[in-house]
Amino acid sequence: DPLYDAIVTWCQGSDFWNADETTQPVFEDDDGNRDKKRWWIWVIASDDAVVYILDRSRSKEVPSEFFAGCRGVLMTDRFSSYKALHEAIKKAWCWVHQRRDFIKIYDGVPRLKKWAKEWMLEITALFLLNHERLKLWENNIAGDAWEQAQSAVEQHIQKMMAHWQEELKQPNLHKQQKKALLSLQRHWDGLTIFLLDPRIPLDNNRAERLLKG
C-alpha cells in the first residue's frame, strides 16, 4: 500500500496524463460465484508513472477524486466522466475517436461515403503533418525548420475549422453529418490544444495500450 500510494502521489504531481477505462469482469462474490456486475479498471499515466484503479463504478467520481488537487492537461476519449473534471484540468481529446465518427458514416451511409472520406483524409493529413513536427521537437531542432512545421500544422487546423464551420451553415444536412460536425465544434478546443505543447499527442493510444498489457 505505501508503494502504491507513493506512485499515485508521484503521478498526481505531473502536468500531463493519459487516461482510459475498461471493464474487468473477472471477480467472484463471497460464495465463489461469478460477480455479474461489471467492475472497471482505470489507468492514469504520467510520463514516468502509471496508476491502475479498480472500481465498481465508471462514474466521474473516480477521475474526480484522483485529479482533485491537480493542474495540467489530460488526454482521453470523449467520455463524459472526464468532461466533468474541474477547470484546472484542461481536456485534450483523441483524434482517433473523433475520426471514428466519419468511419461509421463511411461504412453505414452509402450516399455519404465521399463526404466522410474527405474528412478522413483531412484527419490523416493532420497526423502526417504533426508527425513531422514531432520529429523535429524530439530531436531538439529549432529555428526555421520548426517554425515551418508548426506553421504547416496550424494552417491545416485553420483549414479544417473553416471546413466544418462552412458545412454547418448548409441547410438540409443529413442527421449523421450534422452529428459529426457538431461534435467537432463541441470538442474543437480540446482537439487543438496540442498546438500549444508538443508533448500532447493526437491520440490516446498510450493509455489504451497500458490496458492491454
Side-chain angles (χ1 to χ4, degrees), residues 5-196:
D5 291 342
I7 294 172
V8 169
T9 300
W10 185 269
C11 188
Q12 289 170 325
S14 183
D15 62 355
F16 175 70
W17 308 266
N18 293 85
D20 199 12
E21 77 295 324
T22 191
T23 55
Q24 185 75 351
V26 297
F27 294 102
E28 297 177 345
D29 61 23
D30 293 338
D31 296 324
N33 301 310
R34 180 172 177 179
D35 186 348
K36 294 182 179 180
K37 293 182 179 179
R38 293 188 299 179
W39 281 58
W40 296 85
I41 182 166
W42 300 71
V43 61
I44 301 170
S46 66
D47 180 57
D48 58 359
V50 181
V51 174
Y52 293 94
I53 302 170
L54 281 170
D55 198 275
R56 292 181 181 272
S57 170
R58 199 189 180 197
S59 73
K60 64 182 181 181
E61 278 71 21
V62 176
S64 294
E65 180 179 348
F66 183 92
F67 289 108
C70 301
R71 300 182 65 88
V73 177
L74 176 64
M75 161 59 72
T76 67
D77 57 25
R78 299 167 295 180
F79 181 43
S80 59
S81 289
Y82 302 118
K83 294 180 180 181
L85 290 169
H86 58 85
E87 292 184 358
I89 301 297
K90 304 299 181 184
K91 288 68 174 187
W93 306 123
C94 174
W95 270 103
V96 170
H97 285 81
Q98 199 72 40
R99 183 174 178 268
R100 288 178 190 170
D101 294 347
F102 299 101
I103 294 175
K104 289 179 181 178
I105 294 172
Y106 181 87
D107 291 336
V109 188
R111 70 183 181 90
L112 296 179
K113 269 184 177 290
K114 182 180 178 181
W115 176 85
K117 186 175 182 179
E118 288 176 355
W119 271 107
M120 290 157 62
L121 290 173
E122 286 201 31
I123 295 171
T124 298
L126 174 62
F127 271 83
L128 293 172
L129 289 169
N130 194 60
H131 179 69
E132 295 302 314
R133 169 179 176 261
L134 188 59
K135 283 197 301 184
L136 295 173
W137 177 72
E138 290 174 341
N139 292 305
N140 296 312
I141 298 176
D144 290 343
W146 165 258
E147 291 179 4
Q148 290 173 10
Q150 177 75 13
S151 177
V153 176
E154 290 175 350
Q155 289 177 25
H156 190 72
I157 283 291
Q158 289 298 318
K159 174 186 171 184
M160 293 177 75
M161 183 172 69
H163 188 179
W164 62 254
Q165 287 177 336
E166 187 63 31
E167 288 195 336
L168 277 174
K169 295 177 183 177
Q170 296 176 8
N172 304 319
L173 283 173
H174 189 283
K175 64 179 181 180
Q176 293 298 328
Q177 285 179 299
K178 190 171 184 180
K179 181 179 178 181
L181 292 170
L182 287 175
S183 179
L184 271 176
Q185 181 185 57
R186 189 164 57 252
H187 296 100
W188 195 249
D189 287 347
L191 288 167
T192 57
I193 195 173
F194 74 94
L195 292 171
L196 305 176

Side-chain angles (χ1 to χ4, degrees), residues 197-210:
D197 187 344
R199 294 178 305 161
I200 302 171
L202 295 184
D203 58 65
N204 197 34
N205 289 352
R206 181 175 181 233
E208 297 200 3
R209 288 169 181 152
L210 286 168

